[in-house]
Amino acid sequence: MLQGKKIIIGITGSIAAFKIPHLIRLLRKQEAEVQVIMTPAALDFVTPLTLSTLSGKPVLIGFFKTDDGLWNSHIELAAWADVMMIAPASANTIGKIAAGLADNLMLAVYLAARCPVFLVPAMDADMYLHPSTQSNLTTLRQYGARIIDPVEGELASGLHGAGRMREPEEIVRILNDHFEKKNSFRKTKVLISAGPTHEPIDPVRYITNHSTGKMGYALAESFADRGADVILVSGPVSLEISHPNIRLIRVNSAAEMKNACSDHFAGADVIVMAAAVSDYRPESFSPEKIKKTEKILEIRLVKNDDILSWMGETAKRGQVLVGFALETTNELLNARKKLKAKKLDMIVLNSLRDQGAGFGHDTNRVTLISRKGDEIEIPLKTKKQISEDIVNFIGNWIHTRNLEE
Ligand code: CTP
């Protein structure tokens, strides 16, 4: 998969830089083109001569090549790359890129890069676990960077803990997976809903639920990474997303979500309704703030349209419709019923009884059910990993259906 792929390796000041010559050898063996850029701090750990010999290209460090005024264009470098990988990524560089700083060539290339960027952190465990490093990594994830998390193990300091860079062989496998998956949903239009809805009572109050949107956003990213054109209709959440293949439409109420979804439904090949849409809304909206004059306040609720059921009724042949079910009792039975009642192809069952699963958690445990009777239990994993499993399940479904037709 790596043959002819253009890969920028950005090396920063971390002792794990000693593993990068081996990484470059592995990439070159698979016929990738490798351009190394070093931060000045990286020069203390590995020599440009070793890296340029192995990569077959001069190593770039500063903005200016020589005294003759020639310069290394960060824009051209960024446009050249199919992938940029910052390995090892030190705590200092992670902090700088999260803040948008560009005071060396590698940082400027990162800021200009539109290609996927992988960050491979490597540092002492305490530095890695420090809240500022963790919050920088969360920010960078939201900006679309893929983090190849370090593992626990022996560290250069002699201590044992999290922060050890992944081995070059594993990094090469992750890159191979990336290029293999990249086009599996090319030319596929995917409509995804995410997050809760707000049903207004008066100008300051609304009815909502605990959904954070994490699952739907992770799904949008997984589809987009595989080349799909994604429309993400999101209820009010605090998440950000930035990906060239994702168009984000923000809505507030269930009625707005229905409008946005129906605008894009007919053109979608795959529809995944991950939103926790409010089933009811206040019958009337008070334009003035409701005063606490009454001892008992009654708010009458009326049913919202079920967007997914409407889609099930109107779907065209070939469209793939996926729903979510959040159940607290008789989970499997209820999910199978919902799949049938809403005329879905697949349903993702979340059980609130599972530890670490459901609203607000970064992890989830789900069961994937298809209308043909396939049922796959996915153990507790991060929502990002679960989203990959869901996308694989949908991909296999489409593949089998196409073979049968
Ligand atoms: N859904 C929807 N429109 C609604 C309510 C739900 O599109 N008005 C979608 C959700 O996005 C989800 C699926 O329907 O994919 C299941 O929603 P859920 O609330 O679990 O099921 P309901 O059918 O509302 O049934 P109940 O609340 O009674 O369990």
Side-chain angles (χ1 to χ4, degrees):
M1 295 310 300
L2 297 183
Q3 191 183 29
K5 294 291 185 291
K6 300 185 178 78
I7 301 172
I8 288 179
I9 306 251
I11 308 179
T12 76
S14 156
I15 180 65
F18 84 89
K19 294 182 181 175
I20 304 307
H22 182 46
L23 173 64
I24 295 171
R25 262 188 74 97
L26 295 176
L27 294 173
R28 296 284 291 142
K29 265 195 187 160
Q30 298 199 15
E31 297 181 34
E33 270 192 68
V34 178
Q35 174 64 66
V36 176
I37 309 177
M38 298 172 83
T39 64
L43 294 169
D44 291 332
F45 295 92
V46 61
T47 74
L49 181 60
T50 308
L51 299 164
S52 57
T53 307
L54 291 173
S55 66
K57 282 183 194 291
V59 169
L60 307 177
I61 301 157
F63 286 98
F64 297 100
K65 277 186 181 157
T66 53
D67 293 340
D68 56 13
L70 287 176
W71 67 301
N72 295 312
S73 165
H74 52 292
I75 306 295
E76 276 172 29
L77 281 162
W80 172 83
D82 293 313
V83 148
M84 178 172 187
M85 171 167 281
I86 302 182
S90 64
N92 181 48
T93 289
I94 288 170
K96 281 181 167 183
I97 60 179
L101 301 184
D103 64 356
N104 65 47
L105 178 66
M106 200 214 66
L107 296 177
V109 173
Y110 165 79
L111 261 192
R114 290 188 54 108
C115 62
V117 178
F118 288 84
L119 299 178
V120 197
M123 65 198 74
D124 171 67
D126 290 326
M127 294 172 82
Y128 175 64
L129 296 173
H130 192 282
S132 69
T133 307
Q134 288 302 313
S135 123
N136 288 333
L137 287 169
T138 303
T139 303
L140 290 167
R141 252 186 216 111
Q142 290 188 356
Y143 293 162
R146 292 126 222 259
I147 318 287
I148 303 184
D149 292 321
V151 287
E152 282 211 13
E154 199 183 313
L155 303 170
S157 58
L159 300 171
H160 188 95
R164 196 183 148 97
M165 193 179 93
R166 294 284 188 96
E167 294 305 319
E169 285 76 5
E170 215 180 330
I171 296 172
V172 171
R173 185 187 54 71
I174 291 169
L175 275 179
N176 266 301
D177 279 359
H178 165 75
F179 283 110
E180 192 180 332
K181 285 192 298 205
K182 200 167 156 352
N183 288 326
S184 56
F185 276 86
R186 213 163 66 89
K187 293 195 177 152
T188 307
K189 294 202 176 351
V190 180
L191 171 63
I192 297 174
S193 70
T197 61
H198 286 181
E199 308 302 319
I201 299 168
D202 68 14
V204 289
R205 303 176 179 102
Y206 51 79
I207 296 173
T208 190
N209 56 60
H210 292 297
S211 169
T212 56
K214 284 180 185 165
M215 195 65 240
Y217 276 61
L219 275 166
E221 199 176 69
S222 297
F223 272 112
D225 282 349
R226 298 179 191 213
D229 286 323
V230 179
I231 303 235
L232 175 62
V233 177
S234 169
V237 294
S238 58
L239 302 175
E240 297 290 337
I241 199 158
S242 161
H243 194 296
N245 294 2
I246 300 177
R247 184 175 150 206
L248 175 65
I249 301 174
R250 292 195 189 271
V251 297
N252 282 307
S253 63
E256 286 173 19
M257 186 169 273
K258 181 170 182 201
N259 283 341
C261 286
S262 49
D263 283 349
H264 297 281
F265 175 64
D269 304 299
V270 176
I271 302 99
V272 185
M273 291 293 289
V277 188
S278 296
D279 289 327
Y280 292 88
R281 67 178 182 279
E283 186 173 36
S284 58
F285 170 75
S286 160
E288 303 300 336
K289 186 181 168 204
I290 300 171
K291 292 299 208 183
K292 52 176 182 302
T293 44
E294 307 298 326
K295 201 156 183 199
I296 292 177
L297 174 69
E298 281 186 358
I299 298 174
R300 255 173 80 87
L301 302 177
V302 290
K303 220 173 190 177
N304 278 326
D305 290 343
D306 190 315
I307 309 170
L308 191 55
S309 295
W310 168 80
M311 288 172 166
E313 290 300 331
T314 47
K316 289 190 307 268
R317 211 178 126 80
Q319 279 185 311
V320 178
L321 201 51
V322 184
F324 271 68
L326 183 68
E327 305 292 341
T328 51
T329 49
N330 292 328
E331 291 94 336
L332 268 177
L333 208 71
N334 282 334
R336 288 187 200 121
K337 267 193 203 157
K338 220 169 261 182
L339 173 95
K340 234 181 166 164
K342 297 198 185 194
K343 302 193 174 152
L344 308 179
D345 295 301
M346 280 158 266
I347 197 156
V348 181
L349 163 66
N350 280 294
S351 167
L352 265 192
R353 284 200 290 192
D354 289 323
Q355 282 268 325
F359 292 134
H361 293 285
D362 284 324
T363 49
N364 209 0
R365 203 183 84 83
V366 301
T367 307
L368 308 177
I369 308 169
S370 83
R371 75 171 150 81
K372 292 196 176 144
D374 310 308
E375 290 192 2
I376 300 181
E377 269 190 49
I378 312 278
L380 194 71
K381 289 185 183 180
T382 64
K383 286 190 174 168
K384 183 68 198 146
Q385 288 168 330
I386 298 262
S387 74
E388 292 288 316
D389 289 333
I390 296 174
V391 174
N392 286 339
F393 192 65
I394 297 172
N396 288 339
W397 163 271
I398 295 173
H399 182 69
T400 316
R401 183 195 65 188
N402 291 349
L403 286 180
E404 285 169 2
E405 275 176 3

PDB file of all heavy atoms in Angstrom, residues 58-70:
ATOM      1  N   PRO A  58      17.860  15.016   1.001  1.00  0.00           N
ATOM      2  CA  PRO A  58      18.435  15.894   2.021  1.00  0.00           C
ATOM      3  C   PRO A  58      17.428  16.144   3.149  1.00  0.00           C
ATOM      4  O   PRO A  58      16.234  16.274   2.901  1.00  0.00           O
ATOM      5  CB  PRO A  58      18.717  17.206   1.264  1.00  0.00           C
ATOM      6  CG  PRO A  58      18.662  16.853  -0.173  1.00  0.00           C
ATOM      7  CD  PRO A  58      17.785  15.655  -0.320  1.00  0.00           C
ATOM      8  N   VAL A  59      17.941  16.163   4.362  1.00  0.00           N
ATOM      9  CA  VAL A  59      17.069  16.434   5.513  1.00  0.00           C
ATOM     10  C   VAL A  59      16.871  17.945   5.636  1.00  0.00           C
ATOM     11  O   VAL A  59      17.812  18.710   5.455  1.00  0.00           O
ATOM     12  CB  VAL A  59      17.735  15.873   6.791  1.00  0.00           C
ATOM     13  CG1 VAL A  59      17.031  16.357   8.040  1.00  0.00           C
ATOM     14  CG2 VAL A  59      17.729  14.349   6.742  1.00  0.00           C
ATOM     15  N   LEU A  60      15.651  18.373   5.915  1.00  0.00           N
ATOM     16  CA  LEU A  60      15.365  19.801   6.027  1.00  0.00           C
ATOM     17  C   LEU A  60      15.228  20.176   7.508  1.00  0.00           C
ATOM     18  O   LEU A  60      14.609  19.431   8.282  1.00  0.00           O
ATOM     19  CB  LEU A  60      14.073  20.145   5.278  1.00  0.00           C
ATOM     20  CG  LEU A  60      14.035  19.678   3.816  1.00  0.00           C
ATOM     21  CD1 LEU A  60      12.690  20.007   3.176  1.00  0.00           C
ATOM     22  CD2 LEU A  60      15.179  20.310   3.014  1.00  0.00           C
ATOM     23  N   ILE A  61      15.799  21.324   7.861  1.00  0.00           N
ATOM     24  CA  ILE A  61      15.759  21.728   9.273  1.00  0.00           C
ATOM     25  C   ILE A  61      15.248  23.166   9.403  1.00  0.00           C
ATOM     26  O   ILE A  61      14.286  23.430  10.117  1.00  0.00           O
ATOM     27  CB  ILE A  61      17.151  21.595   9.924  1.00  0.00           C
ATOM     28  CG1 ILE A  61      17.621  20.133   9.808  1.00  0.00           C
ATOM     29  CG2 ILE A  61      17.103  22.033  11.403  1.00  0.00           C
ATOM     30  CD1 ILE A  61      19.110  19.957   9.876  1.00  0.00           C
ATOM     31  N   GLY A  62      15.893  24.077   8.669  1.00  0.00           N
ATOM     32  CA  GLY A  62      15.527  25.490   8.799  1.00  0.00           C
ATOM     33  C   GLY A  62      14.730  25.966   7.596  1.00  0.00           C
ATOM     34  O   GLY A  62      14.559  25.245   6.614  1.00  0.00           O
ATOM     35  N   PHE A  63      14.292  27.223   7.661  1.00  0.00           N
ATOM     36  CA  PHE A  63      13.546  27.805   6.533  1.00  0.00           C
ATOM     37  C   PHE A  63      14.472  28.109   5.355  1.00  0.00           C
ATOM     38  O   PHE A  63      14.057  28.067   4.214  1.00  0.00           O
ATOM     39  CB  PHE A  63      12.855  29.099   6.974  1.00  0.00           C
ATOM     40  CG  PHE A  63      11.651  28.841   7.843  1.00  0.00           C
ATOM     41  CD1 PHE A  63      11.739  28.918   9.226  1.00  0.00           C
ATOM     42  CD2 PHE A  63      10.429  28.514   7.275  1.00  0.00           C
ATOM     43  CE1 PHE A  63      10.631  28.673  10.020  1.00  0.00           C
ATOM     44  CE2 PHE A  63       9.318  28.273   8.058  1.00  0.00           C
ATOM     45  CZ  PHE A  63       9.416  28.356   9.445  1.00  0.00           C
ATOM     46  N   PHE A  64      15.763  28.425   5.684  1.00  0.00           N
ATOM     47  CA  PHE A  64      16.682  28.814   4.623  1.00  0.00           C
ATOM     48  C   PHE A  64      17.669  27.702   4.333  1.00  0.00           C
ATOM     49  O   PHE A  64      18.224  27.094   5.263  1.00  0.00           O
ATOM     50  CB  PHE A  64      17.428  30.099   5.010  1.00  0.00           C
ATOM     51  CG  PHE A  64      16.464  31.245   5.168  1.00  0.00           C
ATOM     52  CD1 PHE A  64      16.049  31.639   6.424  1.00  0.00           C
ATOM     53  CD2 PHE A  64      15.933  31.873   4.059  1.00  0.00           C
ATOM     54  CE1 PHE A  64      15.124  32.654   6.570  1.00  0.00           C
ATOM     55  CE2 PHE A  64      15.005  32.893   4.199  1.00  0.00           C
ATOM     56  CZ  PHE A  64      14.599  33.283   5.454  1.00  0.00           C
ATOM     57  N   LYS A  65      17.881  27.437   3.031  1.00  0.00           N
ATOM     58  CA  LYS A  65      18.750  26.320   2.664  1.00  0.00           C
ATOM     59  C   LYS A  65      20.217  26.686   2.896  1.00  0.00           C
ATOM     60  O   LYS A  65      20.969  25.968   3.486  1.00  0.00           O
ATOM     61  CB  LYS A  65      18.545  25.979   1.194  1.00  0.00           C
ATOM     62  CG  LYS A  65      17.349  25.084   0.970  1.00  0.00           C
ATOM     63  CD  LYS A  65      17.282  24.678  -0.476  1.00  0.00           C
ATOM     64  CE  LYS A  65      16.066  23.800  -0.706  1.00  0.00           C
ATOM     65  NZ  LYS A  65      15.630  23.800  -2.081  1.00  0.00           N
ATOM     66  N   THR A  66      20.601  27.835   2.347  1.00  0.00           N
ATOM     67  CA  THR A  66      21.999  28.269   2.451  1.00  0.00           C
ATOM     68  C   THR A  66      21.984  29.778   2.578  1.00  0.00           C
ATOM     69  O   THR A  66      20.938  30.380   2.760  1.00  0.00           O
ATOM     70  CB  THR A  66      22.767  27.907   1.155  1.00  0.00           C
ATOM     71  OG1 THR A  66      22.021  28.458   0.060  1.00  0.00           O
ATOM     72  CG2 THR A  66      22.913  26.419   0.975  1.00  0.00           C
ATOM     73  N   ASP A  67      23.159  30.374   2.438  1.00  0.00           N
ATOM     74  CA  ASP A  67      23.225  31.844   2.525  1.00  0.00           C
ATOM     75  C   ASP A  67      22.774  32.493   1.219  1.00  0.00           C
ATOM     76  O   ASP A  67      22.691  33.704   1.120  1.00  0.00           O
ATOM     77  CB  ASP A  67      24.659  32.290   2.825  1.00  0.00           C
ATOM     78  CG  ASP A  67      25.051  31.848   4.221  1.00  0.00           C
ATOM     79  OD1 ASP A  67      24.135  31.572   5.020  1.00  0.00           O
ATOM     80  OD2 ASP A  67      26.261  31.763   4.496  1.00  0.00           O
ATOM     81  N   ASP A  68      22.538  31.668   0.173  1.00  0.00           N
ATOM     82  CA  ASP A  68      22.222  32.276  -1.126  1.00  0.00           C
ATOM     83  C   ASP A  68      20.757  32.683  -1.261  1.00  0.00           C
ATOM     84  O   ASP A  68      20.293  33.022  -2.345  1.00  0.00           O
ATOM     85  CB  ASP A  68      22.616  31.327  -2.270  1.00  0.00           C
ATOM     86  CG  ASP A  68      21.943  29.972  -2.126  1.00  0.00           C
ATOM     87  OD1 ASP A  68      20.999  29.869  -1.310  1.00  0.00           O
ATOM     88  OD2 ASP A  68      22.353  29.029  -2.810  1.00  0.00           O
ATOM     89  N   GLY A  69      20.032  32.650  -0.208  1.00  0.00           N
ATOM     90  CA  GLY A  69      18.658  33.170  -0.253  1.00  0.00           C
ATOM     91  C   GLY A  69      17.624  32.126  -0.620  1.00  0.00           C
ATOM     92  O   GLY A  69      16.431  32.392  -0.582  1.00  0.00           O
ATOM     93  N   LEU A  70      18.042  30.902  -0.981  1.00  0.00           N
ATOM     94  CA  LEU A  70      17.051  29.859  -1.283  1.00  0.00           C
ATOM     95  C   LEU A  70      16.376  29.438   0.020  1.00  0.00           C
ATOM     96  O   LEU A  70      16.999  29.434   1.081  1.00  0.00           O
ATOM     97  CB  LEU A  70      17.728  28.648  -1.920  1.00  0.00           C
ATOM     98  CG  LEU A  70      18.197  28.830  -3.350  1.00  0.00           C
ATOM     99  CD1 LEU A  70      18.930  27.584  -3.822  1.00  0.00           C
ATOM    100  CD2 LEU A  70      17.011  29.121  -4.266  1.00  0.00           C
TER     101      LEU A  70
END
